[in-house]
Amino acid sequence: ILNVEQSPQSLHVQEGDSTNFTCSFPSSNFYALHWYRWETAKSPEALFVMTLNGDEKKKGRISATLNTKEGYSYLYIKGSQPEDSATYLCAFDSNYQLIWGAGTKLIIKP
Amino acid sequence: NAGVTQTPKFQVLKTGQSMTLQCAQDMNHEYMSWYRQDPGMGLRLIHYSVGAGITDQGEVPNGYNVSRSTTEDFPLRLLSAAPSQTSVYFCASSQNFLSDRGKETQYFGPGTRLLVL
């Protein structure tokens, strides 16, 4: 059974601090790794799709890296702001289905 | 574009009742899917469709039926509701998930919160 693990489950960060969290996935038969941002009472929204080992993607203060050989991706948030509070999901493509992690819930303390 | 729409937003059912959750998209996406989201777990795929007339099972299909008679609509039917089906259900679509092997962005609906008593 393929599994996608995200750590930590939740994270409290002071406003202005930078933070990062991890997504671990099977390293074999890799096609793509997705990151989504999910705000409370809204729908998940895509942040990044990463396909190549060593990929780095950036959107504003948020960036992500990908290591397909060891099966992990990091999501970084620089200078956290209250609007960054959300659950961050990663998903791994397997056999034409996306396998999702349980998410990292990020709470920014003012 | 309305994107992906779902109705109802919230529903309470009694055990044994049946109902249909509606999902529609106006982006001419070929791929549509249904997920359920339970506390502490990732989104789990129930059923998916790669085009009109074609559906397939996901990770947790038992107790659910789907059909895809048009590109736009992908309803999810609960045949005989059980308390274990209490969950939040999300419909998602993407342009053509299979042609670009997992690189397509999924667009999600707002979700349907279902409570089975």
Side-chain angles (χ1 to χ4, degrees), chain A residues 3-31:
Chain A
N3 216 19
V4 176
E5 302 281 346
Q6 290 189 248
S7 61
Q9 278 190 328
S10 65
L11 192 54
H12 289 72
V13 173
Q14 199 70 40
E15 182 177 350
D17 287 351
S18 296
T19 187
N20 66 84
F21 27 93
T22 309
C23 173
S24 300
F25 53 87
S27 55
S28 58
N29 295 321
F30 178 85
Y31 287 92

Side-chain angles (χ1 to χ4, degrees), chain A residues 9 31-32 34 36 38 41-46 49 51 89 93-102, chain B residues 31 35 37 40-43 45 48 57-59 90 97-98 101-106 108-111:
Chain A
Q9 278 190 328
Y31 287 92
H34 297 246
Y36 282 76
W38 190 3
K42 293 187 178 180
S43 311
E45 291 185 346
V49 180
T51 58
L89 304 171
D93 172 74
S94 168
N95 195 26
Y96 302 99
Q97 299 179 18
L98 284 179
I99 309 296
W100 296 80
Chain B
Y31 184 90
Y35 292 95
Q37 200 274 323
M41 302 184 76
L43 294 165
L45 185 66
Y48 66 97
Q57 295 181 349
E59 182 187 354
F90 285 96
F97 189 70
L98 298 188
R101 267 321 301 264
K103 297 168 192 161
E104 288 277 341
T105 294
Q106 302 281 304
F108 284 84

Side-chain angles (χ1 to χ4, degrees), chain B residues 24-87:
Chain B
Q25 52 89 12
D26 61 359
M27 297 174 281
N28 203 32
H29 284 172
E30 293 189 16
Y31 184 90
M32 295 185 74
S33 55
W34 276 102
Y35 292 95
R36 60 178 289 173
Q37 200 274 323
D38 301 295
M41 302 184 76
L43 294 165
R44 290 185 293 167
L45 185 66
I46 304 171
H47 286 283
Y48 66 97
S49 168
V50 300
I54 307 169
T55 64
D56 207 345
Q57 295 181 349
E59 182 187 354
V60 289
N62 292 342
Y64 308 94
N65 271 357
V66 291
S67 59
R68 184 95 179 270
S69 55
T70 67
T71 300
E72 294 78 20
D73 300 297
F74 191 44
L76 178 74
R77 296 183 188 83
L78 279 71
L79 308 171
S80 176
S84 61
Q85 293 179 305
T86 293
S87 188

